[in-house]
Amino acid sequence: MNDRIQVATSGPIVGSIQPPGSKSITNRALVCAALAHGNSILRGALDSEDTQVMIDSLDRLGIVVEASDEKQTLAVTGCGGRLPKPTGDLFVGNSGTTIRFLTAMLAACEGEFRLDGVPRMRERPIGDLMDALNRLGSDCQGEIKPGFPPVKLKARGLGGGDVEVRGDVSSQFLSGLLMAAPVAKNPVRVHVTGDLVSKPYVHMTLAVMKSFGIDVGQTRSEDSLSLIELAAPQKYTGIDYQIEPDASAASYFWAAAAITGGSVTVKNLGPDALQGDVGIVDCLEQMGCRVERQPHQITVSGKALRGIEVDMNAISDTVQTLAAVALFVDGPTIIHGVGHIRHKETDRIGDLARELRKLGATVEERDEGLTIIPGPLKAATIETYRDHRMAMSLALPGLLVPGVVILDPGCTAKTYPHYFEDLAALCRGAH
């Protein structure tokens, strides 16, 4: 792909689309299938940088993953908790799910490992997860800086017991710990301290684990997920598993309808999906769009009309999507509860605010959110900061504003390699 792309303007977009498989579910299913007794088939998997680095790491550990059907079907040979290769130097790119899930998974096994990534990954915290694993019997340290990758791990299995993990930095710490816990020698009680961010992702983790045969028990303080008890030792079981289309990816197409006044249906993704990010349609509905929810598809129609005030903690991967729509409505859009997204692929508050201002908006930035006040829109060249979501979301204003240029559009390969082709096809009225 070129080092930049100018977005073609469009009239109202009308059509339907099925985005590729969920990155979040694909990487969770890969971990569960890798730990399983027996083989698994994962259908509808995502082929992207984030899943490729997970599969490459599993391969380096001796866990066979065979791809077919244009890499949308993955056959995984489970190791039953005993790694064929108990040593490895693993490269995870800038995939937060991969480094956090693998660190926990490997701690539950035995061997010596090193996990590293791109320079930005070395700035993304993992210390709370490492501390929790060490309290359960692991030896896990930051090789250069305490609490940050590269991670050096001497694994000897997890003993079980009570452990605390912070919930206010990343829900991936808790998800990684939960997937490792059933392989421990004794039951694990996880106490979550602080306000847990992105709660739907934790419910997703527990749902995937349950599909692979794990008794996930009961959570106390269901709304806060403040205490989770998991029986151990348990066995993951190999299964045939269907992965949903990616709801975060779907958000861009629903937003395209909201910006252009069109109508877009996302297929095979309904309101009861495992992914909380389908909740973006509730925000678009509050902005004035029409939303039709059916069991296996959701349609968004009509222009977004007005700004809203919303806590997006539970759907924080769609903050940039909503921000793009907020440029075209009457009145400010106020987003709360997303301070943790400053620690993602880039600072998704500060850097987002900078790019929105280029497009003509007034943006008030806060530690835990931002306020977007629409203004006269103008052409702009958008820096993406190697962040796939920055590229995908801030391409959307270009559907109505001539001269919007996206730098480094290839960064979408992290989760959606063919995003710009699919967006262009939808704009041409493809179904």
Side-chain angles (χ1 to χ4, degrees):
M1 184 174 287
N2 296 330
D3 62 356
R4 62 182 60 208
I5 187 171
Q6 181 166 327
V7 182
T9 56
S10 174
I13 294 175
V14 178
S16 60
I17 190 168
Q18 179 174 318
S22 163
K23 179 262 292 189
S24 299
I25 298 177
T26 298
N27 270 355
R28 284 165 171 78
L30 280 166
V31 169
C32 295
L35 288 171
H37 292 258
N39 301 332
S40 297
I41 303 293
L42 311 182
R43 304 184 190 276
L46 175 66
D47 178 30
S48 72
E49 287 180 0
D50 273 20
T51 56
Q52 289 163 6
V53 293
M54 175 67 85
I55 292 169
D56 177 71
S57 294
L58 294 176
D59 179 69
R60 291 175 184 272
L61 299 167
I63 296 169
V64 177
V65 180
E66 296 181 340
S68 60
D69 187 26
E70 297 182 334
K71 300 186 178 180
Q72 295 181 52
T73 300
L74 304 175
V76 184
T77 302
C79 73
R82 298 180 62 87
L83 298 170
K85 297 179 182 178
T87 60
D89 194 339
L90 309 178
F91 179 78
V92 301
N94 196 17
S95 175
T97 57
T98 300
I99 196 167
R100 291 157 181 168
F101 294 175
L102 280 182
T103 297
M105 170 188 152
L106 296 177
C109 301
E110 294 185 358
E112 295 191 13
F113 312 96
R114 179 179 182 273
L115 300 92
D116 197 7
V118 300
R120 174 61 180 172
M121 178 57 74
R122 293 186 173 190
E123 299 173 357
R124 299 178 68 179
I126 194 172
D128 294 295
L129 175 59
M130 293 194 294
D131 290 345
L133 294 170
N134 288 343
R135 287 193 291 272
L136 291 174
S138 180
D139 181 358
C140 186
Q141 308 295 332
E143 182 180 66
I144 298 172
K145 180 181 178 182
F148 291 84
V151 175
K152 293 282 285 187
L153 173 61
K154 295 180 181 178
R156 43 183 178 256
L158 300 177
D162 284 74
V163 65
E164 290 186 352
V165 63
R166 282 179 61 188
D168 57 353
V169 178
S170 173
S171 65
Q172 293 170 3
F173 298 161
L174 178 56
S175 286
L177 191 60
L178 292 176
M179 286 188 285
V183 188
K185 299 177 179 67
N186 296 290
V188 176
R189 290 164 50 95
V190 183
H191 302 263
V192 181
T193 62
D195 293 329
L196 178 62
V197 300
S198 303
K199 292 174 189 174
Y201 284 92
V202 179
H203 287 295
M204 175 199 298
T205 301
L206 293 169
V208 176
M209 292 167 60
K210 187 175 181 179
S211 294
F212 281 83
I214 297 299
D215 177 3
V216 299
Q218 299 293 319
T219 61
R220 297 187 186 177
S221 302
E222 183 68 25
D223 288 342
S224 64
L225 291 167
S226 60
L227 173 61
I228 304 175
E229 302 178 75
L230 287 170
Q234 295 190 62
K235 291 182 178 180
Y236 284 95
T237 302
I239 61 169
D240 194 312
Y241 187 75
Q242 181 68 48
I243 295 166
E244 296 174 351
D246 194 287
S248 303
S251 76
Y252 309 119
F253 302 111
W254 287 320
I259 287 171
T260 66
S263 180
V264 172
T265 299
V266 173
K267 299 181 293 186
N268 292 316
L269 193 64
D272 295 328
L274 291 181
Q275 301 163 82
D277 282 347
V278 295
I280 185 67
V281 301
D282 300 333
C283 298
L284 298 176
E285 192 169 46
Q286 291 176 49
M287 286 177 147
C289 297
R290 299 184 305 278
V291 179
E292 182 182 357
R293 300 168 179 86
Q294 296 180 319
H296 301 293
Q297 65 182 38
I298 300 175
T299 302
V300 171
S301 304
K303 275 185 175 290
L305 302 174
R306 53 188 171 269
I308 60 172
E309 184 168 355
V310 59
D311 186 327
M312 296 189 73
N313 185 284
I315 56 171
S316 58
D317 275 350
T318 63
V319 166
Q320 290 139 298
T321 311
L322 193 72
V325 179
L327 298 174
F328 297 90
V329 300
D330 291 331
T333 295
I334 305 169
I335 298 171
H336 298 292
V338 294
H340 60 286
I341 69 175
R342 291 187 182 275
H343 305 291
K344 294 284 191 173
E345 285 80 348
T346 190
D347 176 350
R348 286 184 176 168
I349 294 177
D351 294 334
L352 174 61
R354 183 178 302 112
E355 302 309 311
L356 293 174
R357 293 183 187 115
K358 289 182 184 179
L359 288 161
T362 298
V363 183
E364 299 171 0
E365 180 184 343
R366 302 183 304 280
D367 287 344
E368 52 73 55
L370 67 167
T371 298
I372 303 160
I373 303 170
L377 295 175
K378 57 187 178 181
T381 298
I382 302 299
E383 177 60 58
T384 53
Y385 308 91
R386 291 297 300 162
D387 183 353
H388 56 131
R389 301 207 186 284
M390 196 72 79
M392 290 187 280
S393 59
L394 294 188
L396 298 175
L399 297 174
L400 289 189
V401 179
V404 173
V405 174
I406 303 297
L407 299 178
D408 188 24
C411 69
T412 62
K414 186 176 189 339
T415 56
Y416 199 160
H418 302 295
Y419 171 72
F420 283 101
E421 295 95 318
D422 285 358
L423 180 62
L426 194 61
C427 289
R428 292 193 299 268
H431 289 253

